[in-house]
Amino acid sequence: MRNILLASTLFLAVQSPFTLAHAQSVPQTPDPAVLTPERVFANPSLSGPVAKGVSLSPDGELVAFLRSREDDVDVLDLWAAPTGEGEPFKLIDARALVPDAGELSEAEKARRERMRISARGVVEYSWDEQGRYILAPLEGDVFLAEREGGAVRRLTETEADEIDAKVSPDGNFVSWVRDQDLVVYDLANGRETAVTTDGEGLITWATAEFIAQEEMDRDTGYWWSPDERYIALQRTDESTVDIIPRLDITGGGATVIEQRYPRAGRPNAVVELYVHDRQTGRRTKVDLGENADIYLARVNWSVDGRTLYVQRQSRDQKTLDLLSVDPATGASRVIATQTSDAWVELTDDFKALDDGTFIWSTEETGWRHLYLYDRDGRRLRAITRGDWPVKGLNGVNQTTGEVFFTASMRGGEELPIEQQLFRASLNELVEPVAVTPAGGWWNASVNRTGTAFVGNYTDLNTPMRSGLYRADGTFVRWIEENRLDENHPYFPYASRRGEVTFGTLESHGETLVWQMTTPPGFDPSKTYPVIMQVYGGPSGGGVKRGWQPATNQLLTEAGYVVFRLDNRGEGDRSAAFKQALYLKMGQPEIEDQVLAADYLRSLPFVDDDRIAMMGWSYGGFMSLMAITEPRMGLAAAAVGAPPTEWSLYDTHYTERFMSTPELNPEGYAASDAIPRLRSMTGRMLLMHGMADDNVILENSTRVIDAMQANSQPFELMLYPGQRHGVRGNERQLQQWRTYLDFFDRTIGSRAE
């Protein structure tokens, strides 16, 4: 369950500092405008020209990025900018190449849903490792842009969708999956070669299975070796997975989908790994061990292409083995193992180095840190340490021995609401040095050589901006400055941003961070209704020192105080903080939200009887649990796409935190929302997509049925054709009009 905070996925950035402080105000505009839902969900986007998916060419001389069209925020074009002199230019115009986008295949729809891609046009792209080409799948076909001259070449024009397209490392081939088989295209002669031919029905080649895409952050099922000789590829057999019939309901009718959905405690798909040798044409099965009921977690190649590294996770997720595989024979051996009494978290922190060593991260100290290993898995030294976690390994400069990573700390102490890029050393354990300034939230994409990076930055007064920097943090040029001046689409509304304060609460020895935004013209001598926004589940956390989402301003303009707390279990923090919810989801999180509600009621400007909550996905589960918790005393809750009984959800996510229904019946029973419904303290608005293939609609129909059986009134809004999120400006406008109307009638001016 990848984090969906609210259905309005256009505006996911949230802000907040760690100690109480006020936001600095943007200079007043002559005639401040009141932000409306109609303007939020219109073109151009209020976010401004935000660069998405920014990456440097391998030689660091060109930057590629995706940009929304001004006439349609939901369509992306591919842009590029030289790292030296010169202006950004459009490399691929999606509408020019494919003026009439057709219907995507069900496989591609499902893949994009798993990747949380809601836009159309150029939604992803990739470089070859020489930097000669950029590959861009577009509306089911594949296009190749040549860096020299900018010519765009169409490689496919078929009825079937080509998905997960890649350029081979040396740029000699392009590969993709079509009709469940892997195809390789020779750029020199334009000839296609089918690597597999028996993909059909329940057998799929070279595609990540549902669980890997949805829960393991693994979106591909094949991997080229650096020398282009081998392709490692997975084979998936879904015949073991239960069929869960569901109605895919649209505005034009309903279709019964017999979805293969692996629910908690039930069988997973059988996943095998093979290596295809392009020289001999031979396909060799990799030895993943005798137990087939495992997860293929990660696959990486050594730099010389002689070793395939495979991370194998046990079904209970308490063991993660690193296998060293001979690609010629498929023989494997375990060279390193991580274990946990709760679960071992998967990351992308594995990096093979030129000399045969590799970097890998673990949480064995209680905090995630980076370590250097030799080729046989023997640990050589720690790269980082301290009472703070590494958020991600961003890059390595093997010439200088510098290791780049992101973390949330300052002065050696954890600071969850900020994030910076740091550097450490491969050669010795040293105190990390901050590469980027403190005071906001940084993400960084480091080039292959570790000599430069693209930095994306936001803070309380700065919309997301992207720039090019040298490895020491020296600014080179803007990619998208996104300056908040009179030309910015948000500028007319900026002076009415609510005032922001931040703070902490203590719970069971842990420090929880919170954020509060007050309405324009806030008067502390008056009392205000409060809307508590929540996700609450395992995620990156939502309280960040970053740009305020426009949807928050819709709430403050309506007169609400907006509050958010990151409870235990939420956020990339210590292992203990995350594992507080182990075997008991919905219990420690609600305890912390009760603490937050008590804190709010201690404030003189909060109306004790007008506190509401809203959330989507896990946030929907939290909102449903909170409105049925008497200690919360909520007057209303907007509940979006909630898991309502965890045995209905998938294996990898649910079993990671709750084990199986057979082994943890008490935990599953305590998290079931249905027996709690008679304890509802206020009014509920229930929302769900009627084609949701993630949190299946059955989760909400259980609530509907029980509420009717209990003769309890509630409000319902269903979205035909929508999956786990509500997509598109028109439907999101309707959704937010519904939110505002519901809160107005329950805790707002019409409720008084």
Side-chain angles (χ1 to χ4, degrees):
M1 181 183 292
R2 298 183 185 178
N3 181 1
I4 293 186
L5 172 61
L6 295 175
S8 59
T9 54
L10 292 175
F11 305 99
L12 291 179
V14 186
Q15 59 185 3
S16 81
F18 196 52
T19 57
L20 286 174
H22 289 291
Q24 299 174 7
S25 61
V26 173
Q28 292 285 328
T29 58
D31 296 305
V34 174
L35 188 62
T36 65
E38 291 73 22
R39 179 58 193 93
V40 170
F41 300 105
N43 298 314
S45 170
L46 288 177
S47 299
V50 175
K52 305 175 179 69
V54 185
S55 68
L56 277 163
S57 62
D59 61 8
E61 294 182 359
L62 196 70
V63 179
F65 59 96
L66 303 175
R67 178 193 282 177
S68 295
R69 299 178 67 92
E70 288 194 5
D71 60 348
D72 191 342
V73 70
D74 292 327
V75 176
L76 302 176
D77 295 323
L78 180 63
W79 286 69
T83 57
E85 298 290 331
E87 294 300 314
F89 57 93
K90 188 181 294 187
L91 194 59
I92 294 182
D93 185 319
R95 287 257 175 86
L97 291 178
V98 185
D100 300 312
E103 189 75 9
L104 295 171
S105 68
E106 184 61 30
E108 180 63 358
K109 287 181 183 177
R111 180 173 176 269
R112 293 191 182 193
E113 179 70 17
R114 304 284 77 77
M115 297 172 71
R116 300 298 185 259
I117 295 174
S118 59
R120 296 297 294 262
V122 184
V123 298
E124 56 182 329
Y125 69 93
S126 58
W127 292 93
D128 72 307
E129 291 190 8
Q130 309 306 309
R132 293 181 294 172
Y133 305 113
I134 300 178
L135 187 72
L138 175 58
E139 306 300 351
D141 285 313
V142 181
F143 294 81
L144 190 72
E146 296 183 12
R147 177 173 165 183
E148 290 296 330
V152 178
R153 177 178 169 190
R154 185 169 192 157
L155 302 185
T156 67
E157 192 168 4
T158 62
E159 291 186 7
D161 283 347
E162 285 77 28
I163 66 175
D164 197 12
K166 302 177 185 180
V167 187
S168 63
D170 286 335
N172 295 310
F173 305 94
V174 172
S175 53
W176 55 72
V177 178
R178 180 197 294 145
D179 292 331
Q180 301 176 216
D181 281 309
L182 181 63
V183 175
V184 171
Y185 179 97
D186 191 322
L187 286 173
N189 57 32
R191 185 178 303 144
E192 288 188 9
T193 301
V195 175
T196 65
T197 57
D198 60 336
E200 61 179 348
L202 299 176
I203 303 299
T204 302
W205 283 98
T207 301
E209 73 278 20
F210 172 90
I211 283 295
Q213 293 180 33
E214 179 62 40
E215 309 299 0
M216 297 164 62
D217 287 331
R218 179 168 67 79
D219 299 316
T220 189
Y222 71 101
W223 303 264
W224 282 89
S225 67
D227 59 4
E228 297 185 344
R229 174 174 177 176
Y230 297 112
I231 305 175
L233 69 164
Q234 80 172 72
R235 178 183 186 271
T236 304
D237 180 354
E238 288 191 294
S239 62
T240 55
V241 181
D242 293 339
I243 297 175
I244 306 297
R246 65 174 177 86
L247 282 175
D248 194 325
I249 303 172
T250 69
T255 304
V256 177
I257 304 293
E258 293 192 342
Q259 183 174 345
R260 296 279 175 168
Y261 189 99
R263 285 180 166 170
R266 299 295 300 155
N268 277 319
V270 176
V271 175
E272 299 172 328
L273 186 65
Y274 291 79
V275 176
H276 169 72
D277 188 333
R278 289 190 50 261
Q279 287 186 5
T280 65
R282 185 188 314 129
R283 186 189 307 153
T284 302
K285 186 177 181 180
V286 172
D287 180 9
L288 295 179
E290 295 181 0
N291 182 5
D293 193 15
I294 52 92
Y295 293 107
L296 178 65
R298 296 289 186 271
V299 177
N300 299 90
W301 284 95
S302 63
V303 175
D304 61 12
R306 297 179 181 177
T307 303
L308 183 67
Y309 292 108
V310 178
Q311 294 182 44
R312 177 186 66 192
Q313 189 179 45
S314 61
R315 173 67 185 260
D316 65 8
Q317 300 180 59
K318 295 183 178 183
T319 302
L320 181 65
D321 292 320
L322 180 62
L323 309 181
S324 175
V325 178
D326 181 347
T329 66
S332 68
R333 58 192 179 96
V334 177
I335 61 172
T337 298
Q338 298 181 25
T339 61
S340 171
D341 293 334
W343 70 84
V344 178
E345 198 163 286
L346 302 180
T347 73
D348 293 314
D349 294 339
F350 182 93
K351 173 70 174 177
L353 304 178
D354 293 344
D355 62 1
T357 61
F358 60 86
I359 299 171
W360 202 24
S361 70
T362 84
E363 285 186 310
E364 64 183 45
T365 65
W367 302 88
R368 180 160 300 283
H369 284 292
L370 301 172
Y371 299 86
L372 181 67
Y373 298 79
D374 69 14
R375 67 177 69 246
D376 294 318
R378 182 173 63 90
R379 182 178 296 176
L380 300 177
R381 69 181 64 89
I383 297 172
T384 62
R385 69 179 177 188
D387 291 344
W388 48 269
V390 168
K391 298 290 192 69
L393 174 62
N394 294 73
V396 180
N397 185 324
Q398 297 187 60
T399 301
T400 63
E402 294 172 304
V403 178
F404 298 91
F405 63 93
T406 46
S408 294
M409 65 151 173
R410 193 188 292 178
E413 296 184 358
E414 186 187 25
L415 185 63
I417 47 73
E418 292 185 6
Q419 183 167 288
Q420 294 171 258
L421 181 68
F422 293 87
R423 69 172 181 266
S425 173
L426 270 178
N427 304 316
E428 58 181 330
L429 182 61
V430 297
E431 286 299 314
V433 175
V435 177
T436 57
W441 195 270
W442 286 87
N443 288 302
S445 174
V446 179
N447 69 345
R448 187 177 61 182
T449 57
T451 57
F453 68 93
V454 172
N456 301 308
Y457 175 75
T458 180
D459 61 32
L460 293 174
N461 296 316
T462 308
M464 183 65 73
R465 57 174 48 173
S466 301
L468 177 66
Y469 301 82
R470 296 192 183 96
D472 62 1
T474 302
F475 175 77
V476 177
R477 65 161 296 165
W478 290 116
I479 298 166
E480 287 285 12
E481 185 178 7
N482 201 11
R483 179 187 293 273
L484 185 58
D485 57 19
E486 60 274 9
N487 297 315
H488 195 282
Y490 181 73
F491 186 76
Y493 314 98
S495 64
R496 289 185 59 82
R497 286 189 300 161
E499 198 167 15
V500 182
T501 55
F502 313 90
T504 63
L505 297 173
E506 298 298 318
S507 176
H508 296 77
E510 298 286 358
T511 298
L512 315 178
V513 295
W514 58 258
Q515 164 191 323
M516 183 186 298
T517 309
T518 52
F522 174 71
D523 183 349
S525 68
K526 297 180 180 180
T527 58
Y528 294 82
V530 177
I531 294 178
M532 302 175 69
Q533 292 186 330
V534 67
Y535 182 74
S539 71
V543 177
K544 298 181 177 73
R545 194 193 297 269
W547 182 246
Q548 184 84 6
T551 47
N552 270 20
Q553 190 162 336
L554 293 180
L555 298 175
T556 56
E557 287 284 15
Y560 304 112
V561 171
V562 178
F563 183 88
R564 181 182 178 94
L565 173 88
D566 283 355
N567 50 247
R568 283 173 295 155
E570 185 175 11
D572 294 327
R573 301 186 61 182
S574 71
F577 190 93
K578 293 182 291 186
Q579 293 170 6
L581 51 64
Y582 183 56
L583 302 180
K584 50 186 178 181
M585 288 200 299
Q587 298 178 53
E589 310 99 298
I590 292 297
E591 287 181 21
D592 292 348
Q593 295 296 332
V594 169
L595 182 68
D598 290 342
Y599 170 72
L600 287 169
R601 289 190 173 94
S602 74
L603 302 175
F605 56 83
V606 170
D607 188 329
D608 294 1
D609 298 323
R610 292 196 293 163
I611 299 178
M613 183 174 282
M614 65 186 303
W616 197 271
S617 194
Y618 202 103
F621 166 70
M622 288 288 291
S623 297
L624 186 54
M625 297 293 280
I627 193 68
T628 57
E629 171 53 64
R631 294 177 298 164
M632 287 290 300
L634 295 182
V639 176
T644 62
E645 209 285 305
W646 284 105
S647 66
L648 300 178
Y649 201 61
D650 68 47
T651 51
H652 194 271
Y653 185 91
T654 310
E655 293 173 11
R656 185 188 327 158
F657 310 119
M658 292 287 282
S659 185
T660 64
E662 293 75 21
L663 295 176
N664 182 26
E666 297 84 3
Y668 278 80
S671 64
D672 188 346
I674 302 305
R676 304 167 57 96
L677 293 177
R678 291 187 183 275
S679 300
M680 193 168 292
T681 61
R683 296 300 296 267
M684 179 181 68
L685 167 63
L686 180 62
M687 294 178 159
H688 212 125
M690 300 182 79
D692 196 332
D693 61 351
N694 180 7
V695 179
I696 293 173
L697 184 59
E698 180 184 349
N699 283 275
S700 282
T701 58
R702 296 177 73 241
V703 176
I704 296 168
D705 180 64
M707 293 286 283
Q708 293 171 347
N710 294 344
S711 302
Q712 293 175 274
F714 67 103
E715 299 181 32
L716 179 66
M717 182 59 65
L718 299 177
Y719 289 91
Q722 299 299 294
R723 299 203 178 198
H724 194 48
V726 177
R727 313 296 188 189
N729 274 344
E730 295 80 5
R731 282 185 172 82
Q732 290 194 47
L733 173 57
Q734 187 278 341
Q735 181 185 31
W736 273 87
R737 283 172 169 169
T738 302
Y739 279 138
L740 292 170
D741 175 72
F742 172 71
F743 288 129
D744 191 21
R745 289 183 288 104
T746 54
I747 65 169
S749 59
R750 282 190 282 170
E752 293 179 308

